[in-house]
Amino acid sequence: MQIRKYRHSCLHVLDGDASIVIDPGSYSTGYDSLTGLTAVLITHAHADHLDPEGLARMLRANPQAGGFVNSASGALLAKHPATADIAVTAVGPGDVLNVGTRVRVSGGDHAVIHADLPIAPNLGYLIGDRLFHPGDALAVPSRPVEVLALPVSAPWMAVKEAVDYLRRMAPARAIPIHEAGLSGTATVYGILSSLAPAGTQWTDLDDGTTLEI
């Protein structure tokens, strides 16, 4: 498996016959040139995870790729001028996709930002039974996770919650996502690295670099 990061929560994953992009959002860059994709996975409808214009360009350049979203994201895309004619498939927790590798869909709800704000639907994706991308939630899938894409900074979380989630998941390796709004990455990454559970390797996957596992 190869994992390449395109800033914030956008990852490009090669596994088996699969070439998958997850969450090409408004903060992410550099993914427009990708071809040969088998799937684009969207965790939820927030702009930093779903950029309709970027998704439209990607799916038009990769007509063989399936776009997979939750129902809320699908409704947003159906109304947006850039994607009104783009076909996507709505999926939900418990679904299993075959897109060149197995993708197990989990999740349900976005983490709570504040009690006065509505909670958006959010999906997590377990790719190849190895890499878990939780979107904007700290959900625990039903299977052990080898590689965790760990949200490190958000309006809905603090670093102590990232540490507790990392310890609860106890993956063999953790990589940071959801960092675009973070001003002190070195400080936060240092905390997460030093407080990771025994047996977890912290890997700072920089934008535009590839990790092979």
Side-chain angles (χ1 to χ4, degrees), residues 32-57:
D32 278 347
S33 61
L34 294 174
T35 58
L37 300 179
T38 59
V40 181
L41 311 177
I42 303 296
T43 62
H44 64 289
H46 289 169
D48 57 330
H49 297 258
L50 171 56
D51 172 26
E53 288 86 357
L55 179 64
R57 291 192 300 270

Side-chain angles (χ1 to χ4, degrees), residues 13-151:
V13 183
L14 299 175
D15 184 51
D17 295 324
S19 179
I20 301 169
V21 170
I22 313 168
D23 280 2
S26 57
Y27 292 152
S28 303
T29 59
Y31 59 78
D32 278 347
S33 61
L34 294 174
T35 58
L37 300 179
T38 59
V40 181
L41 311 177
I42 303 296
T43 62
H44 64 289
H46 289 169
D48 57 330
H49 297 258
L50 171 56
D51 172 26
E53 288 86 357
L55 179 64
R57 291 192 300 270
M58 181 179 294
L59 290 178
R60 288 193 174 101
N62 292 271
Q64 74 287 345
F68 298 93
V69 301
N70 62 24
S71 57
S73 299
L76 182 151
L77 294 172
K79 296 176 182 178
H80 196 284
T83 49
D85 62 339
I86 297 290
V88 294
T89 300
V91 296
D95 288 342
V96 180
L97 314 177
N98 184 2
V99 292
T101 192
R102 181 165 46 203
V103 176
R104 301 182 189 273
V105 186
S106 64
D109 290 334
H110 190 288
V112 175
I113 300 173
H114 190 273
D116 291 346
L117 295 175
I119 297 176
N122 177 88
L123 299 177
Y125 295 103
L126 179 59
I127 299 175
D129 288 331
R130 301 183 73 188
L131 167 67
F132 184 60
H133 191 305
D136 277 10
L138 302 179
V140 178
S142 59
R143 295 169 179 267
V145 170
E146 179 183 346
V147 184
L148 174 64
L150 175 67

